[in-house]
Amino acid sequence: ELSSPVSAVVRHKYGCRIMCRLIEHAITLPAVARMIDSEIVPRAFELGRHEFAHYVVACVLEHGMFEHKRSVVQSLLSGGLACLAQNRHGRFVVEALFAHCGPEDRSAALELLRRAADPVDLALHSHAHGAIGAALRSSVDGPDMAAELAALASKLADAAPMLAESRFGHRVLQAAEQMCATQVPRFAAVAA
């Protein structure tokens, strides 16, 4: 169990909101940057699974400086992204990663997510389907991301009948169809 005052605050139902406001509005202050580096980044995977602390980790991914985002992503990747995506609270952190991080981080996360677990199983999971949907909705910013999204879409297309029968799988199929309608024409342009 963590014993630092910051760890207690980010795990509190009201304290997490205060930390989020600090990150949103005072990220450039040295004390806030040090707090993120020393208290949140090393424990990002653990905090991402907590009922209240996951809001703080997601807030760093959304509003943090580039180096904070990169450090949090590395911490999440080393902890096991598929496990985090299947967690009730962790899925929102994975969704924030795909919505707010840079193309290299998103590509690495998608590759790890796709290789660590069967994407079809994740698409059928009550929590992980949101992470797969967020990955499909993320922008295609380079050939690596385009290749990873194409591989993911291919696996999901192979299991489309099974996914269509599931409430969660159906949502992922809708995200895949939307991605194909908007992004697939750009795959060739990005890869070229």
Side-chain angles (χ1 to χ4, degrees):
E1 185 66 24
L2 302 173
S3 60
S4 78
V6 173
S7 296
V9 171
V10 299
R11 292 168 181 260
H12 188 270
K13 66 180 177 179
Y14 301 122
C16 68
R17 294 176 184 201
I18 294 167
M19 296 305 289
C20 286
R21 297 305 88 75
L22 275 173
I23 293 166
E24 290 170 12
H25 302 291
I27 192 74
T28 57
L29 293 177
V32 175
R34 276 193 309 274
M35 182 242 346
I36 292 171
D37 289 336
S38 65
E39 299 291 336
I40 295 172
V41 169
R43 299 171 181 91
F45 182 78
E46 177 187 348
L47 294 174
R49 297 168 51 111
H50 188 269
E51 179 180 11
F52 301 116
H54 79 274
Y55 293 113
V56 177
V57 178
C59 191
V60 171
L61 291 173
E62 182 176 357
H63 300 286
M65 293 187 285
F66 176 78
E67 55 271 7
H68 294 138
K69 291 181 181 187
R70 176 60 56 93
S71 298
V72 167
V73 169
Q74 293 306 316
S75 178
L76 297 176
L77 293 178
S78 66
L81 208 58
C83 178
L84 189 65
Q86 293 173 358
N87 179 272
R88 176 179 176 184
H89 307 293
R91 84 173 249 201
F92 297 107
V93 174
V94 177
E95 290 176 19
L97 186 156
F98 284 114
H100 302 293
C101 289
E104 300 87 15
D105 292 333
R106 289 194 320 268
S107 180
L110 183 57
E111 179 183 3
L112 183 65
L113 195 61
R114 194 174 59 78
R115 294 182 193 275
D118 182 18
V120 175
D121 290 341
L122 293 175
L124 294 170
H125 192 272
S126 61
H127 303 302
H129 79 278
I132 295 293
L136 291 168
R137 287 186 296 275
S138 64
S139 61
V140 178
D141 294 329
D144 293 339
M145 189 67 174
E148 289 298 330
L149 281 173
L152 176 62
S154 173
K155 277 201 160 191
L156 295 174
D158 292 342
M162 181 174 52
L163 293 172
E165 294 176 7
S166 163
R167 176 174 72 175
F168 305 118
H170 181 71
R171 293 177 187 167
V172 171
L173 279 180
Q174 287 176 331
E177 289 170 2
Q178 182 182 12
M179 186 266 305
C180 288
T182 60
Q183 303 281 3
V184 170
R186 292 180 29 189
F187 281 168
V190 172

